[in-house]
Amino acid sequence: MKNFNINKIIRPHLLSLKTYDAVNPPDLLSKKSGIPENELIKLNGNENPYGASPKAIAALKNLPMHLYPDPDQIKIRNAISKYTGLPIDNIVAGAGADEIIDLIFRIFISPGDSILDCSPTFGMYSFCAKIAGANVKFAERDSKYDLDINEIEKNINENTKLIFITSPNNPTGNLVSYEHIKYLLKKEILVVVDEAYFEFSKSSVQNLVLDHPNLIVLRTMSKWAGLAGLRIGYGLMHSSATKYLMEIKPPYNINVAAEAALLASFEDVDLLQKNVDMIIENRDWMNIELNKINNLTAYPSFGNYILCEFTKNYSKTVYGELEENGIFVRKFNTERLKNSFRISIGTEVQNKKVLQIIQKAMKYE
Ligand SMILES: Cc1ncc(COP(=O)(O)O)c(C=O)c1O
């Protein structure tokens, strides 16, 4: 059938879906900027500037690539169990935390259901919701980017199935209070607490998982363990939810390389934690230095990134200067964040260069 029109069979609401605004890979950034790949400073994806653990890198040799991986993820879930202290019945691994988010939609959300997104926040929730045909209600955060419980209450109705709470929030860096999460858990909705940056914040609600069947906590190996390219994350949840996620996930969702790297990373936690500590130290130093600059507010952060908000049109100028120097940070196209960008924390040398360029562009002496 040569004249087959694919647009006629696509689910109609997907025809107008806007692609997720993902970060470009280094080769594309290099092409765009004319700066060689090895000179780029990529601070737009909250990746780990120190890379993966040497043990994880070594573990990628001699993998049984010709065999399917374990659909029950037994070794992986045992290692996560040892790390988190939760039983394996409360753990499911995904190809990144992103896959767990996608699974949550596939399992719990029907077209017409509502979900709550506490914007500004990580874009995957609303993106996946739109694919699922769900209504996204935006409970805008307050002026300090904290959760606004009144806004949340206003947007909850009988169609609301789930709320995403990101702590620390991406891109604003702030934590959500334990009390707010406990308050939301009393409602008859699923509460997904995204702790992708847990190792940088050391703050978690994982201890609530066993007693709250409506709580799912998300984690990832992308940030603290430097495994973003291998795609592995996990969810911590009540065993009644684990059952469905394990049954409905693609059977071989964690490939053998990701499995080997995760297992080796958990054998190298001390080294990875030292890298995390360096990132935290650099982040706090950057925050102080950035806040010395007029017309710039650097928000306090519990993640591996800082949200910088500029007055007037300065963000465009500074972004342009950074780009010209081969430095890529994350900008946003929403009204609220149009004068802001997020800088991931790099190595000390990278951070100093970023700071120098921002200081120069902002005429800071
Ligand atoms: C808040 C948040 N959740 C989830 C993810 C996705 O993590 P993963 O790489 O494990 O899919 C990210 C990635 O940036 C994130 O910022």
Side-chain angles (χ1 to χ4, degrees):
M1 172 93 188
K2 271 198 172 160
N3 296 331
F4 181 70
N5 181 357
I6 200 89
N7 291 341
K8 279 197 174 155
I9 65 156
I10 190 171
R11 295 160 66 202
H13 70 285
L14 296 182
L15 273 170
S16 57
L17 185 83
K18 265 183 72 193
T19 322
Y20 181 75
D21 189 17
V23 292
N24 288 325
D27 55 337
L28 206 80
L29 294 178
S30 169
K31 241 192 214 155
K32 265 176 120 180
S33 63
I35 292 173
E37 225 176 292
N38 62 353
E39 287 173 27
L40 291 177
I41 301 184
K42 189 177 177 303
L43 302 176
N44 57 358
N46 296 346
E47 290 139 333
N48 191 317
Y50 303 112
S53 124
K55 285 190 184 166
I57 295 166
L60 297 187
K61 289 198 188 108
N62 302 322
L63 290 170
M65 286 184 210
H66 60 299
L67 300 178
Y68 285 106
D70 173 13
D72 294 326
Q73 312 171 334
I74 295 298
K75 285 187 192 155
I76 295 172
R77 290 161 74 209
N78 272 325
I80 298 169
S81 169
K82 209 169 136 204
Y83 179 67
T84 58
L86 286 170
I88 80 160
D89 281 352
N90 301 97
I91 299 166
V92 179
D98 279 352
E99 191 189 26
I100 307 279
I101 297 170
D102 186 52
L103 269 174
I104 290 171
F105 277 99
R106 287 171 52 201
I107 295 170
F108 301 111
I109 301 299
S110 306
D113 286 342
S114 286
I115 73 129
L116 269 175
D117 178 290
C118 304
S119 48
T121 192
F122 185 48
M124 275 301 283
Y125 318 134
S126 55
F127 177 69
C128 289
K130 284 176 195 150
I131 294 173
N135 297 315
V136 187
K137 303 270 181 201
F138 293 97
E140 199 65 25
R141 287 163 177 265
D142 70 13
S143 60
K144 287 189 182 143
Y145 295 119
D146 283 332
L147 286 193
D148 185 331
I149 291 291
N150 286 338
E151 271 300 300
I152 290 174
E153 291 284 4
K154 265 200 293 193
N155 282 288
I156 291 185
N157 62 30
E158 68 282 2
N159 295 326
T160 310
K161 279 267 187 81
L162 83 97
I163 182 166
F164 283 97
I165 306 289
T166 320
S167 186
N169 189 39
N170 174 7
T172 58
N174 52 328
L175 292 172
V176 174
S177 77
Y178 199 71
E179 288 66 38
H180 278 163
I181 290 171
K182 286 211 73 164
Y183 175 82
L184 292 168
L185 283 169
K186 291 196 185 116
K187 304 204 170 283
E188 215 182 338
I189 56 173
L190 184 61
V191 179
V192 178
V193 179
D194 187 341
E195 296 181 355
Y197 301 94
F198 159 68
E199 283 76 8
F200 302 92
S201 74
K202 317 231 172 8
S203 158
S204 176
V205 292
Q206 71 155 66
N207 64 322
L208 299 175
V209 156
L210 297 180
D211 294 337
H212 293 84
N214 60 336
L215 171 64
I216 297 181
V217 174
L218 303 178
R219 299 271 182 82
T220 179
M221 301 297 284
S222 297
K223 315 296 179 182
W224 73 286
L227 299 182
L230 284 179
R231 313 303 302 126
I232 184 152
Y234 58 95
L236 304 172
M237 65 205 78
H238 195 266
S239 53
S240 54
T242 308
K243 176 182 171 306
Y244 287 118
L245 269 84
M246 287 304 290
E247 275 174 12
I248 286 158
K249 74 174 181 59
Y252 309 114
N253 62 331
I254 309 299
N255 67 64
V256 291
E259 175 188 88
L262 173 136
L263 298 176
S265 298
F266 282 127
E267 295 297 320
D268 213 2
V269 171
D270 288 348
L271 176 132
L272 291 170
Q273 192 56 52
K274 273 193 194 128
N275 292 346
V276 165
D277 291 342
M278 268 195 288
I279 293 169
I280 292 173
E281 205 177 300
N282 286 330
R283 173 197 71 199
D284 294 343
W285 175 81
M286 273 295 267
N287 198 290
I288 292 171
E289 294 304 314
L290 288 166
N291 273 316
K292 289 179 184 167
I293 302 172
N294 281 340
N295 296 308
L296 194 176
T297 304
Y299 282 84
S301 172
F302 292 87
N304 62 345
Y305 50 88
I306 297 178
L307 183 74
C308 296
E309 188 176 83
F310 295 81
T311 56
K312 301 182 204 139
N313 241 355
Y314 286 117
S315 71
K316 281 204 184 80
T317 317
V318 178
Y319 184 90
E321 283 289 322
L322 288 169
E323 203 175 48
E324 260 178 38
N325 284 277
I327 298 168
F328 293 88
V329 297
R330 182 75 147 140
K331 64 177 173 186
F332 306 96
N333 52 18
T334 60
E335 186 56 29
R336 192 155 177 202
L337 293 181
K338 67 176 189 219
N339 295 321
S340 304
F341 54 69
R342 187 195 69 200
I343 309 175
S344 306
I345 302 303
T347 61
E348 216 176 309
V349 173
Q350 291 175 334
N351 300 330
K352 283 192 172 146
K353 184 159 180 202
V354 171
L355 185 68
Q356 249 178 15
I357 291 166
I358 298 180
Q359 285 172 333
K360 197 162 160 233
M362 298 292 288
K363 305 198 172 14
Y364 174 82
E365 304 299 328

